[in-house]
Short mmCIF file of all heavy atoms in Angstrom, two decimals:
data_model
loop_
_atom_site.label_atom_id
_atom_site.label_comp_id
_atom_site.label_asym_id
_atom_site.label_seq_id
_atom_site.Cartn_x
_atom_site.Cartn_y
_atom_site.Cartn_z
N MET A 1 0.77 -1.22 -0.01
CA MET A 1 0.04 0.00 0.08
C MET A 1 0.83 1.35 -0.02
O MET A 1 0.38 2.28 -0.59
CB MET A 1 -0.98 0.05 1.13
CG MET A 1 -2.22 -0.72 1.04
SD MET A 1 -3.29 0.14 -0.22
CE MET A 1 -4.56 -1.17 -0.48
N PRO A 2 1.97 1.31 0.62
CA PRO A 2 2.84 2.56 0.65
C PRO A 2 3.08 3.02 -0.76
O PRO A 2 3.07 4.27 -1.04
CB PRO A 2 4.09 2.24 1.37
CG PRO A 2 3.76 0.95 2.17
CD PRO A 2 2.74 0.33 1.36
N ASP A 3 3.31 2.21 -1.82
CA ASP A 3 3.49 2.66 -3.11
C ASP A 3 2.24 3.37 -3.69
O ASP A 3 2.43 4.31 -4.41
CB ASP A 3 3.96 1.46 -4.01
CG ASP A 3 5.43 0.86 -3.60
OD1 ASP A 3 6.12 1.73 -3.18
OD2 ASP A 3 5.53 -0.11 -4.01
N LYS A 4 1.14 2.83 -3.33
CA LYS A 4 -0.03 3.47 -3.92
C LYS A 4 -0.20 4.92 -3.34
O LYS A 4 -0.45 5.82 -4.08
CB LYS A 4 -1.28 2.67 -3.50
CG LYS A 4 -2.49 3.14 -4.05
CD LYS A 4 -2.75 3.17 -5.42
CE LYS A 4 -4.19 3.61 -5.79
NZ LYS A 4 -4.36 4.03 -7.19
N SER A 5 -0.01 4.98 -2.02
CA SER A 5 -0.21 6.28 -1.50
C SER A 5 0.83 7.26 -1.97
O SER A 5 0.60 8.39 -2.10
CB SER A 5 -0.14 6.17 0.17
OG SER A 5 0.93 6.73 0.76
N ARG A 6 2.05 6.80 -2.27
CA ARG A 6 3.20 7.68 -2.77
C ARG A 6 2.74 8.07 -4.19
O ARG A 6 2.98 9.24 -4.55
CB ARG A 6 4.39 6.88 -2.91
CG ARG A 6 5.66 7.64 -3.53
CD ARG A 6 6.94 6.79 -3.35
NE ARG A 6 7.99 7.33 -4.18
CZ ARG A 6 8.83 8.23 -3.84
NH1 ARG A 6 8.70 8.69 -2.74
NH2 ARG A 6 9.81 8.69 -4.73
N ALA A 7 2.22 7.11 -5.07
CA ALA A 7 1.80 7.43 -6.37
C ALA A 7 0.68 8.59 -6.38
O ALA A 7 0.62 9.52 -7.13
CB ALA A 7 1.24 6.35 -7.07
N ASP A 8 -0.33 8.41 -5.44
CA ASP A 8 -1.41 9.34 -5.24
C ASP A 8 -0.78 10.68 -4.86
O ASP A 8 -1.34 11.71 -5.35
CB ASP A 8 -2.42 8.82 -4.11
CG ASP A 8 -3.16 7.67 -4.68
OD1 ASP A 8 -3.31 7.38 -5.90
OD2 ASP A 8 -3.84 6.92 -3.92
N TYR A 9 0.09 10.63 -3.84
CA TYR A 9 0.74 11.94 -3.48
C TYR A 9 1.26 12.71 -4.69
O TYR A 9 1.00 13.83 -4.90
CB TYR A 9 1.81 11.61 -2.44
CG TYR A 9 2.58 12.93 -2.22
CD1 TYR A 9 2.20 13.92 -1.35
CD2 TYR A 9 3.90 13.03 -2.75
CE1 TYR A 9 3.02 15.12 -1.19
CE2 TYR A 9 4.68 14.21 -2.52
CZ TYR A 9 4.24 15.16 -1.72
OH TYR A 9 4.90 16.27 -1.43
N PHE A 10 2.11 12.04 -5.39
CA PHE A 10 2.76 12.67 -6.63
C PHE A 10 1.70 13.14 -7.63
O PHE A 10 1.81 14.18 -8.41
CB PHE A 10 3.86 11.81 -7.29
CG PHE A 10 5.13 12.04 -6.40
CD1 PHE A 10 5.51 11.01 -5.58
CD2 PHE A 10 5.89 13.20 -6.30
CE1 PHE A 10 6.60 11.17 -4.70
CE2 PHE A 10 6.88 13.26 -5.58
CZ PHE A 10 7.32 12.27 -4.71
N LYS A 11 0.68 12.30 -7.85
CA LYS A 11 -0.30 12.61 -8.78
C LYS A 11 -1.08 13.94 -8.45
O LYS A 11 -1.29 14.76 -9.28
CB LYS A 11 -1.44 11.52 -8.90
CG LYS A 11 -2.53 11.69 -9.82
CD LYS A 11 -3.39 10.52 -9.92
CE LYS A 11 -4.51 10.66 -11.02
NZ LYS A 11 -5.50 9.59 -11.00
N GLU A 12 -1.37 14.12 -7.13
CA GLU A 12 -1.96 15.28 -6.63
C GLU A 12 -1.02 16.47 -6.72
O GLU A 12 -1.39 17.54 -7.03
CB GLU A 12 -2.48 15.19 -5.15
CG GLU A 12 -3.61 14.27 -5.06
CD GLU A 12 -4.88 14.67 -5.88
OE1 GLU A 12 -5.08 15.96 -5.75
OE2 GLU A 12 -5.54 13.93 -6.64
N ARG A 13 0.22 16.21 -6.45
CA ARG A 13 1.19 17.33 -6.43
C ARG A 13 1.47 17.98 -7.77
O ARG A 13 1.57 19.03 -8.04
CB ARG A 13 2.61 16.61 -6.00
CG ARG A 13 3.78 17.72 -5.96
CD ARG A 13 4.97 17.00 -5.31
NE ARG A 13 6.15 17.77 -5.73
CZ ARG A 13 6.64 18.70 -4.95
NH1 ARG A 13 6.17 18.95 -3.80
NH2 ARG A 13 7.78 19.32 -5.18
N ARG A 14 1.37 17.01 -8.75
CA ARG A 14 1.56 17.47 -10.15
C ARG A 14 0.41 18.30 -10.57
O ARG A 14 0.45 19.10 -11.68
CB ARG A 14 1.68 16.19 -11.05
CG ARG A 14 3.09 15.62 -11.04
CD ARG A 14 3.42 14.63 -12.19
NE ARG A 14 2.41 13.41 -12.05
CZ ARG A 14 2.60 12.44 -11.42
NH1 ARG A 14 3.79 12.32 -10.69
NH2 ARG A 14 1.77 11.39 -11.26
N LYS A 15 -0.65 18.29 -10.03
CA LYS A 15 -1.79 19.19 -10.29
C LYS A 15 -1.66 20.59 -9.92
O LYS A 15 -2.19 21.65 -10.47
CB LYS A 15 -3.10 18.74 -9.59
CG LYS A 15 -3.66 17.34 -10.17
CD LYS A 15 -4.91 16.97 -9.41
CE LYS A 15 -5.39 15.64 -10.01
NZ LYS A 15 -6.67 15.15 -9.25
N THR A 16 -0.77 20.87 -8.90
CA THR A 16 -0.45 22.15 -8.41
C THR A 16 0.99 22.72 -8.56
O THR A 16 1.28 23.83 -8.51
CB THR A 16 -0.81 22.30 -6.83
OG1 THR A 16 -0.05 21.34 -6.13
CG2 THR A 16 -2.30 22.11 -6.60
N ILE A 17 1.92 21.80 -8.66
CA ILE A 17 3.27 22.08 -8.83
C ILE A 17 3.81 21.86 -10.20
O ILE A 17 3.71 20.72 -10.76
CB ILE A 17 4.14 21.31 -7.79
CG1 ILE A 17 3.63 21.64 -6.48
CG2 ILE A 17 5.61 21.62 -7.89
CD1 ILE A 17 3.89 23.00 -5.90
N GLY A 18 4.51 22.79 -10.83
CA GLY A 18 5.19 22.48 -12.16
C GLY A 18 6.63 22.55 -11.87
O GLY A 18 7.17 23.01 -10.94
N GLN A 19 7.33 22.17 -12.96
CA GLN A 19 8.79 22.23 -12.96
C GLN A 19 9.44 23.16 -13.87
O GLN A 19 8.70 23.43 -15.00
CB GLN A 19 9.35 20.82 -13.18
CG GLN A 19 9.21 20.02 -11.94
CD GLN A 19 10.18 18.81 -11.97
OE1 GLN A 19 9.83 17.80 -12.55
NE2 GLN A 19 11.40 19.08 -11.48
N PHE A 20 10.43 23.88 -13.60
CA PHE A 20 11.09 24.82 -14.60
C PHE A 20 12.63 24.42 -14.56
O PHE A 20 13.15 24.30 -13.45
CB PHE A 20 10.98 26.22 -13.92
CG PHE A 20 11.55 27.31 -14.85
CD1 PHE A 20 10.82 27.84 -15.93
CD2 PHE A 20 12.92 27.77 -14.38
CE1 PHE A 20 11.42 28.82 -16.69
CE2 PHE A 20 13.33 28.81 -15.20
CZ PHE A 20 12.79 29.33 -16.24
N SER A 21 13.09 24.00 -15.78
CA SER A 21 14.44 23.51 -15.75
C SER A 21 15.16 24.19 -16.95
O SER A 21 14.67 24.08 -18.05
CB SER A 21 14.54 22.02 -15.97
OG SER A 21 15.82 21.51 -16.11
N VAL A 22 16.33 24.76 -16.81
CA VAL A 22 17.18 25.25 -17.76
C VAL A 22 18.72 24.89 -17.50
O VAL A 22 19.06 24.51 -16.50
CB VAL A 22 17.21 26.70 -17.86
CG1 VAL A 22 15.71 27.31 -18.10
CG2 VAL A 22 17.59 27.31 -16.45
N SER A 23 19.41 24.86 -18.66
CA SER A 23 20.81 24.65 -18.55
C SER A 23 21.63 25.93 -18.54
O SER A 23 21.32 26.85 -19.34
CB SER A 23 21.29 23.84 -19.79
OG SER A 23 20.64 22.50 -19.72
N VAL A 24 22.68 26.14 -17.64
CA VAL A 24 23.30 27.25 -17.51
C VAL A 24 24.83 26.68 -17.24
O VAL A 24 25.15 25.53 -16.93
CB VAL A 24 22.99 28.18 -16.32
CG1 VAL A 24 21.57 28.76 -16.53
CG2 VAL A 24 23.10 27.39 -15.05
N SER A 25 25.85 27.60 -17.53
CA SER A 25 27.23 27.17 -17.36
C SER A 25 27.38 26.72 -15.89
O SER A 25 26.85 27.28 -14.99
CB SER A 25 28.13 28.32 -17.92
OG SER A 25 28.25 29.27 -16.74
N ARG A 26 28.33 25.78 -15.84
CA ARG A 26 28.66 25.40 -14.41
C ARG A 26 29.20 26.53 -13.60
O ARG A 26 28.96 26.69 -12.43
CB ARG A 26 29.78 24.25 -14.63
CG ARG A 26 30.35 23.87 -13.35
CD ARG A 26 30.01 22.60 -12.68
NE ARG A 26 29.42 21.52 -13.59
CZ ARG A 26 28.37 20.76 -13.13
NH1 ARG A 26 27.77 21.00 -12.02
NH2 ARG A 26 27.89 19.81 -13.92
N GLU A 27 29.94 27.43 -14.34
CA GLU A 27 30.53 28.67 -13.55
C GLU A 27 29.55 29.46 -12.90
O GLU A 27 29.54 29.84 -11.77
CB GLU A 27 31.44 29.39 -14.45
CG GLU A 27 32.19 30.50 -13.82
CD GLU A 27 33.12 31.23 -14.82
OE1 GLU A 27 34.18 30.63 -15.29
OE2 GLU A 27 32.73 32.37 -15.25
N LYS A 28 28.46 29.76 -13.77
CA LYS A 28 27.31 30.59 -13.22
C LYS A 28 26.48 29.83 -12.16
O LYS A 28 26.08 30.53 -11.10
CB LYS A 28 26.36 30.93 -14.43
CG LYS A 28 26.86 31.98 -15.34
CD LYS A 28 25.79 32.41 -16.23
CE LYS A 28 26.22 33.47 -17.19
NZ LYS A 28 25.16 33.85 -18.11
N LEU A 29 26.32 28.52 -12.43
CA LEU A 29 25.59 27.73 -11.39
C LEU A 29 26.31 27.81 -9.97
O LEU A 29 25.79 28.09 -8.97
CB LEU A 29 25.30 26.52 -11.82
CG LEU A 29 24.45 25.53 -10.84
CD1 LEU A 29 23.05 26.13 -10.68
CD2 LEU A 29 24.22 24.08 -11.56
N GLU A 30 27.63 27.54 -10.05
CA GLU A 30 28.41 27.54 -8.84
C GLU A 30 28.31 28.90 -8.09
O GLU A 30 28.37 29.03 -6.82
CB GLU A 30 29.83 27.05 -9.18
CG GLU A 30 29.87 25.57 -9.49
CD GLU A 30 31.28 25.12 -9.95
OE1 GLU A 30 32.22 25.81 -10.13
OE2 GLU A 30 31.33 23.77 -10.19
N ALA A 31 28.51 29.90 -8.94
CA ALA A 31 28.43 31.28 -8.34
C ALA A 31 27.06 31.61 -7.68
O ALA A 31 27.02 32.13 -6.60
CB ALA A 31 28.70 32.39 -9.39
N LEU A 32 26.01 31.13 -8.37
CA LEU A 32 24.79 31.33 -7.86
C LEU A 32 24.63 30.54 -6.57
O LEU A 32 24.16 31.01 -5.60
CB LEU A 32 23.61 31.00 -8.78
CG LEU A 32 22.12 31.12 -8.21
CD1 LEU A 32 21.74 32.47 -7.86
CD2 LEU A 32 21.26 30.49 -9.42
N ASP A 33 25.03 29.29 -6.57
CA ASP A 33 24.89 28.44 -5.30
C ASP A 33 25.65 29.09 -4.20
O ASP A 33 25.17 29.16 -3.12
CB ASP A 33 25.58 27.09 -5.68
CG ASP A 33 24.68 26.24 -6.53
OD1 ASP A 33 23.40 26.40 -6.51
OD2 ASP A 33 25.13 25.17 -7.08
N LYS A 34 26.87 29.66 -4.44
CA LYS A 34 27.64 30.43 -3.39
C LYS A 34 26.90 31.56 -2.88
O LYS A 34 26.78 31.68 -1.68
CB LYS A 34 28.97 30.87 -3.97
CG LYS A 34 29.80 31.51 -2.99
CD LYS A 34 31.33 31.72 -3.46
CE LYS A 34 32.11 32.54 -2.49
NZ LYS A 34 33.37 33.01 -3.01
N LYS A 35 26.27 32.30 -3.75
CA LYS A 35 25.56 33.53 -3.31
C LYS A 35 24.38 33.14 -2.54
O LYS A 35 24.08 33.80 -1.43
CB LYS A 35 25.21 34.37 -4.52
CG LYS A 35 24.44 35.73 -4.19
CD LYS A 35 25.03 36.80 -5.06
CE LYS A 35 24.32 38.02 -4.60
NZ LYS A 35 25.21 39.08 -4.48
N LEU A 36 23.63 32.21 -2.89
CA LEU A 36 22.36 31.81 -2.27
C LEU A 36 22.72 31.13 -0.80
O LEU A 36 21.99 31.47 0.14
CB LEU A 36 21.54 30.76 -3.03
CG LEU A 36 21.01 31.21 -4.40
CD1 LEU A 36 20.16 30.18 -5.10
CD2 LEU A 36 20.12 32.53 -4.07
N LYS A 37 23.89 30.46 -0.85
CA LYS A 37 24.27 29.82 0.40
C LYS A 37 24.68 31.06 1.47
O LYS A 37 24.22 30.87 2.64
CB LYS A 37 25.60 28.99 0.30
CG LYS A 37 25.93 28.30 1.64
CD LYS A 37 26.87 27.22 1.31
CE LYS A 37 27.24 26.42 2.60
NZ LYS A 37 27.85 25.11 2.22
N GLU A 38 25.27 32.08 0.96
CA GLU A 38 25.60 33.25 1.83
C GLU A 38 24.32 33.88 2.46
O GLU A 38 24.26 34.37 3.58
CB GLU A 38 26.35 34.26 1.10
CG GLU A 38 27.76 33.88 0.69
CD GLU A 38 28.39 34.73 -0.19
OE1 GLU A 38 27.91 35.73 -0.73
OE2 GLU A 38 29.63 34.46 -0.49
N GLN A 39 23.23 33.91 1.62
CA GLN A 39 21.95 34.55 2.00
C GLN A 39 21.00 33.48 2.57
O GLN A 39 19.98 33.87 2.96
CB GLN A 39 21.25 35.02 0.57
CG GLN A 39 22.03 36.14 -0.08
CD GLN A 39 21.39 36.51 -1.39
OE1 GLN A 39 20.30 35.97 -1.83
NE2 GLN A 39 22.00 37.45 -2.09
N ASP A 40 21.54 32.33 2.72
CA ASP A 40 20.70 31.20 3.36
C ASP A 40 19.46 31.06 2.69
O ASP A 40 18.40 30.98 3.30
CB ASP A 40 20.44 31.51 4.80
CG ASP A 40 19.97 30.34 5.67
OD1 ASP A 40 20.36 29.10 5.22
OD2 ASP A 40 19.24 30.52 6.61
N LYS A 41 19.37 30.97 1.28
CA LYS A 41 18.22 30.71 0.52
C LYS A 41 18.36 29.50 -0.30
O LYS A 41 19.48 29.15 -0.83
CB LYS A 41 18.06 31.87 -0.42
CG LYS A 41 17.59 33.23 0.16
CD LYS A 41 17.27 34.23 -0.96
CE LYS A 41 16.84 35.52 -0.22
NZ LYS A 41 16.57 36.58 -1.44
N THR A 42 17.25 28.82 -0.75
CA THR A 42 17.36 27.71 -1.64
C THR A 42 17.03 28.27 -2.90
O THR A 42 16.61 29.40 -3.20
CB THR A 42 16.21 26.78 -1.31
OG1 THR A 42 14.88 27.33 -1.54
CG2 THR A 42 16.30 26.24 0.09
N LYS A 43 17.48 27.47 -4.00
CA LYS A 43 17.07 27.86 -5.39
C LYS A 43 15.63 28.12 -5.66
O LYS A 43 15.23 29.03 -6.35
CB LYS A 43 17.66 26.82 -6.31
CG LYS A 43 19.18 26.83 -6.40
CD LYS A 43 19.56 25.77 -7.41
CE LYS A 43 20.93 25.05 -6.94
NZ LYS A 43 21.15 23.90 -7.74
N THR A 44 14.89 27.19 -4.94
CA THR A 44 13.42 27.33 -5.14
C THR A 44 12.83 28.74 -4.71
O THR A 44 12.12 29.41 -5.14
CB THR A 44 12.78 26.21 -4.46
OG1 THR A 44 13.12 25.04 -5.08
CG2 THR A 44 11.20 26.24 -4.69
N THR A 45 13.42 29.07 -3.47
CA THR A 45 12.90 30.30 -2.75
C THR A 45 13.45 31.53 -3.65
O THR A 45 12.62 32.45 -3.90
CB THR A 45 13.49 30.43 -1.42
OG1 THR A 45 13.12 29.31 -0.49
CG2 THR A 45 13.21 31.75 -0.80
N TRP A 46 14.56 31.54 -4.09
CA TRP A 46 15.20 32.54 -5.01
C TRP A 46 14.36 32.68 -6.26
O TRP A 46 13.88 33.80 -6.63
CB TRP A 46 16.63 32.31 -5.23
CG TRP A 46 17.30 33.29 -6.12
CD1 TRP A 46 17.60 34.54 -5.94
CD2 TRP A 46 17.50 33.14 -7.47
NE1 TRP A 46 18.15 35.11 -6.90
CE2 TRP A 46 18.00 34.37 -8.02
CE3 TRP A 46 17.18 32.11 -8.39
CZ2 TRP A 46 18.33 34.42 -9.41
CZ3 TRP A 46 17.51 32.24 -9.71
CH2 TRP A 46 18.07 33.47 -10.21
N LEU A 47 14.13 31.57 -6.94
CA LEU A 47 13.52 31.64 -8.18
C LEU A 47 12.03 32.11 -7.93
O LEU A 47 11.58 32.91 -8.77
CB LEU A 47 13.51 30.29 -8.82
CG LEU A 47 12.76 30.23 -10.23
CD1 LEU A 47 13.34 31.13 -11.19
CD2 LEU A 47 12.76 28.77 -10.71
N ASN A 48 11.39 31.75 -6.93
CA ASN A 48 10.02 32.20 -6.73
C ASN A 48 9.99 33.60 -6.43
O ASN A 48 9.01 34.40 -6.86
CB ASN A 48 9.44 31.43 -5.48
CG ASN A 48 8.72 30.03 -5.90
OD1 ASN A 48 8.09 29.95 -6.96
ND2 ASN A 48 8.92 29.18 -5.07
N GLU A 49 10.95 34.20 -5.76
CA GLU A 49 11.05 35.66 -5.49
C GLU A 49 11.30 36.49 -6.81
O GLU A 49 10.62 37.43 -7.09
CB GLU A 49 12.26 35.93 -4.54
CG GLU A 49 11.99 35.68 -3.16
CD GLU A 49 13.33 35.66 -2.18
OE1 GLU A 49 14.30 36.17 -2.83
OE2 GLU A 49 13.17 35.48 -1.08
N LYS A 50 12.17 35.92 -7.72
CA LYS A 50 12.35 36.47 -9.03
C LYS A 50 11.12 36.48 -9.75
O LYS A 50 10.87 37.42 -10.55
CB LYS A 50 13.54 35.85 -9.73
CG LYS A 50 14.88 36.00 -8.98
CD LYS A 50 15.18 37.51 -8.79
CE LYS A 50 16.49 37.74 -7.99
NZ LYS A 50 16.78 39.16 -7.75
N ILE A 51 10.51 35.40 -9.98
CA ILE A 51 9.29 35.25 -10.64
C ILE A 51 8.13 36.22 -10.14
O ILE A 51 7.62 36.89 -10.91
CB ILE A 51 8.67 33.73 -10.66
CG1 ILE A 51 9.64 32.84 -11.45
CG2 ILE A 51 7.29 33.62 -11.07
CD1 ILE A 51 9.36 31.34 -11.26
N ASP A 52 7.98 36.37 -8.81
CA ASP A 52 7.05 37.25 -8.29
C ASP A 52 7.44 38.71 -8.64
O ASP A 52 6.56 39.56 -8.89
CB ASP A 52 7.06 37.27 -6.72
CG ASP A 52 6.35 35.88 -6.31
OD1 ASP A 52 5.66 35.15 -7.18
OD2 ASP A 52 6.54 35.45 -5.09
N GLU A 53 8.71 39.08 -8.66
CA GLU A 53 9.24 40.41 -9.15
C GLU A 53 8.72 40.52 -10.49
O GLU A 53 8.23 41.69 -10.88
CB GLU A 53 10.67 40.47 -8.94
CG GLU A 53 11.25 40.56 -7.62
CD GLU A 53 12.68 40.52 -7.52
OE1 GLU A 53 13.38 40.83 -8.52
OE2 GLU A 53 13.36 40.32 -6.51
N GLU A 54 9.00 39.69 -11.46
CA GLU A 54 8.72 39.83 -12.82
C GLU A 54 7.17 39.94 -13.06
O GLU A 54 6.70 40.68 -13.83
CB GLU A 54 9.24 38.72 -13.67
CG GLU A 54 10.66 38.82 -13.83
CD GLU A 54 11.29 40.10 -14.58
OE1 GLU A 54 10.66 40.40 -15.47
OE2 GLU A 54 12.19 40.54 -14.11
N ILE A 55 6.46 39.11 -12.41
CA ILE A 55 4.87 39.26 -12.49
C ILE A 55 4.34 40.52 -11.90
O ILE A 55 3.50 41.02 -12.69
CB ILE A 55 4.33 37.93 -11.65
CG1 ILE A 55 4.65 36.74 -12.32
CG2 ILE A 55 2.90 38.07 -11.60
CD1 ILE A 55 4.36 35.45 -11.69
N SER A 56 4.94 41.03 -10.92
CA SER A 56 4.42 42.20 -10.47
C SER A 56 4.80 43.56 -11.11
O SER A 56 4.28 44.58 -10.81
CB SER A 56 4.77 42.39 -8.91
OG SER A 56 6.10 42.55 -8.76
N LYS A 57 5.85 43.46 -12.03
CA LYS A 57 6.43 44.73 -12.72
C LYS A 57 5.17 45.23 -13.48
O LYS A 57 4.55 44.57 -14.31
CB LYS A 57 7.51 44.28 -13.67
CG LYS A 57 8.80 44.29 -12.85
CD LYS A 57 10.02 43.95 -13.88
CE LYS A 57 11.29 43.69 -13.23
NZ LYS A 57 12.30 43.58 -14.16
N LYS A 58 5.06 46.64 -13.54
CA LYS A 58 4.10 47.09 -14.47
C LYS A 58 4.76 47.44 -15.67
O LYS A 58 5.87 47.95 -15.71
CB LYS A 58 3.70 48.50 -13.67
CG LYS A 58 2.94 48.22 -12.51
CD LYS A 58 2.34 49.36 -11.93
CE LYS A 58 1.48 49.00 -10.65
NZ LYS A 58 0.74 50.03 -10.02
N GLU A 59 3.99 47.30 -16.75
CA GLU A 59 4.42 47.54 -18.15
C GLU A 59 4.29 48.91 -18.63
O GLU A 59 3.41 49.57 -18.16
CB GLU A 59 3.89 46.55 -18.99
CG GLU A 59 4.39 45.13 -18.65
CD GLU A 59 4.09 44.10 -19.69
OE1 GLU A 59 4.15 44.44 -21.00
OE2 GLU A 59 3.78 42.89 -19.32
#
């Protein structure tokens, strides 16, 4: 039964959560990781903040 409940969990999760994936140079990624670590932020938190900033910009 645990597998069924796990499958159900991910099925429901996919209804509300999407994924965003891009390729960037290793150098940039490492620099971003270092900066985020200094700020005690995750990539998810940082990206959500940036998306919110872009969405709220007035044109």
Side-chain angles (χ1 to χ4, degrees):
M1 277 291 173
D3 289 335
K4 177 68 173 161
S5 116
R6 179 177 167 87
D8 289 341
Y9 167 79
F10 281 104
K11 184 177 181 181
E12 289 302 312
R13 179 178 165 89
R14 285 189 296 272
K15 290 180 182 177
T16 60
I17 303 291
Q19 284 198 269
F20 182 83
S21 178
V22 298
S23 297
V24 296
S25 73
R26 171 104 23 223
E27 185 177 288
K28 282 186 180 183
L29 184 57
E30 289 172 355
L32 177 61
D33 284 341
K34 182 178 177 185
K35 180 134 183 140
L36 293 178
K37 188 170 185 164
E38 290 169 0
Q39 297 174 2
D40 195 30
K41 287 185 183 178
T42 65
K43 289 180 210 167
T44 302
T45 300
W46 175 80
L47 182 58
N48 278 317
E49 288 173 0
K50 295 301 176 185
I51 291 171
D52 289 343
E53 286 175 19
E54 287 300 316
I55 291 171
S56 66
K57 282 184 182 178
K58 295 187 180 186
E59 296 192 35

